[in-house]
Amino acid sequence: DPAKEAESFVAQVIILNHPGQIGNGYAPVVDCHTAHIACKFAEILTKIDRRSGKELEKEPKFVKSGDACMVVMKPNKPMVVEPFSVYAPLGRFAVRDMRQTVAVGVIKEVTKKEPGKPGDKAAAPAAKGAAKAAKK
């Protein structure tokens, strides 16, 4: 199963210490394995209970410290992640902002980009490199 770039992913995020509120469109740096890439909170799906995982509120406007939520996140640059259940090291991440850890999360599901989609600039150089490697 080769690594594929993630278009977006759904994650369970627990907000640890954020001074304000986090709403849709918040774009902090996500540290996943060795990658440090800005990811946008595209859509906060639900606010959930930290312990039981039960849904408390659908599509909340914002979440604050101490809340747990399910979020659709979109990486701003190419990033490879996996669901926590499939491959744990690439399935957990820390959310950093203002030089401190704001939240932590586990990835529940990933929407992967198909390699070489038209209009995908990142796939062209990779394909050239693969072709060179195949010639050797």
Side-chain angles (χ1 to χ4, degrees), residues 16 31 40 48 73 92 102 105-106 109:
L16 300 174
D31 293 4
K40 190 162 114 189
I48 55 178
M73 299 182 80
R92 51 177 157 239
V102 171
V106 282
E109 56 187 81

Side-chain angles (χ1 to χ4, degrees), residues 12-45:
Q12 179 182 337
V13 179
I14 296 171
I15 316 301
L16 300 174
N17 55 344
H18 191 274
Q21 300 167 337
I22 293 175
N24 292 344
Y26 176 59
V29 172
V30 170
D31 293 4
C32 181
H33 205 246
T34 59
H36 313 290
I37 291 172
C39 292
K40 190 162 114 189
F41 277 54
E43 187 185 354
I44 301 172
L45 301 171

Side-chain angles (χ1 to χ4, degrees), residues 9-14 16 28-33 35 39 41 69 71 73 79 81-82 84 88-96 101 103-108:
F9 54 91
V10 175
Q12 179 182 337
V13 179
I14 296 171
L16 300 174
V29 172
V30 170
D31 293 4
C32 181
H33 205 246
C39 292
F41 277 54
C69 55
V71 188
M73 299 182 80
M79 181 179 187
V81 292
E82 292 289 340
F84 184 77
L90 288 177
R92 51 177 157 239
F93 61 89
V95 176
R96 291 178 60 84
T101 302
V104 290
V106 282
I107 295 166
K108 297 292 183 184

Side-chain angles (χ1 to χ4, degrees), residues 58-123:
K58 252 194 182 351
E59 295 179 18
K61 289 271 177 273
F62 59 84
V63 287
K64 55 190 188 309
S65 287
D67 288 345
C69 55
M70 296 296 273
V71 188
V72 175
M73 299 182 80
K74 291 195 168 150
N76 292 357
K77 287 192 185 132
M79 181 179 187
V80 175
V81 292
E82 292 289 340
F84 184 77
S85 55
V86 175
Y87 188 69
L90 288 177
R92 51 177 157 239
F93 61 89
V95 176
R96 291 178 60 84
D97 197 6
M98 304 161 293
R99 299 181 75 187
Q100 62 183 5
T101 302
V102 171
V104 290
V106 282
I107 295 166
K108 297 292 183 184
E109 56 187 81
V110 181
T111 307
K112 297 187 175 174
K113 270 190 187 166
E114 283 309 310
K117 253 203 294 194
D120 189 7
K121 291 185 220 72

